[in-house]
Amino acid sequence: ANNPSSVGPAVGTTTIVPVVSGSSLSNFAITLVNGSYSINAAAATQGCSPGFWKNHPALWDGVGTDVTSTIKTFLIFNVYMGVTVSQSGQPANLTMLDANERTGGDLNALARHAAASLANADAGMNNALTVAQVRAIYRDAVGADAGPETVASAMAKFIAAEDTNGNTCPLN
């Protein structure tokens, strides 16, 4: 009746049952080294909201106090993203700043958050996405490239990498 092999895990195995509290289940890393586990907080990511970039165009306009390397307010959004007007749903002459200032939902919201995500990725902060990843996610979401992204899934990725609570924008 008290046979140890029928009561729990076999000798030599380890069962880990993580207990996690808080609002985010993605900010930790579990590492196995020489049979010992450690749990460490993952590096927090940084990003600024579309509203921040809208209100601070001087930080990405290519002049003076600019914090971005390649993403600039004056770049033509569709051209930079490599998409057509019919794919993006955006005017042909829309700049990055214009895209960042779009109002409304669906493709306008996607353009707004993609522009902010590009600025975040290019501003030298610890952002969760690279410029290439933002571009690839956007192109997939609007059908320029085949893949699993939808407007909703792309938006979720962009928003997750932004300053959504006022605490992760290092430029504030």
Side-chain angles (χ1 to χ4, degrees), residues 53-54 56-63 66 68 70-77 94-100:
W53 292 111
K54 174 183 174 182
H56 298 88
L59 292 179
W60 60 312
D61 65 0
V63 180
D66 200 334
T68 59
T70 58
I71 302 302
K72 305 298 178 193
T73 57
F74 55 81
L75 294 176
I76 301 300
F77 182 79
L94 190 80
T95 65
M96 286 289 176
L97 183 60
D98 295 334
N100 186 69

Side-chain angles (χ1 to χ4, degrees), residues 12 17 26 33 38 45 59-60 62 64 66 68-69 72 89-90 101 106 109 129 140 144 159 163 168 172:
V17 179
S26 61
V33 178
S38 64
T45 60
L59 292 179
W60 60 312
D66 200 334
T68 59
S69 299
K72 305 298 178 193
Q90 304 303 322
E101 295 175 344
D106 298 324
L129 298 172
D140 184 359
I159 290 170
D163 169 28
T168 62
N172 276 338

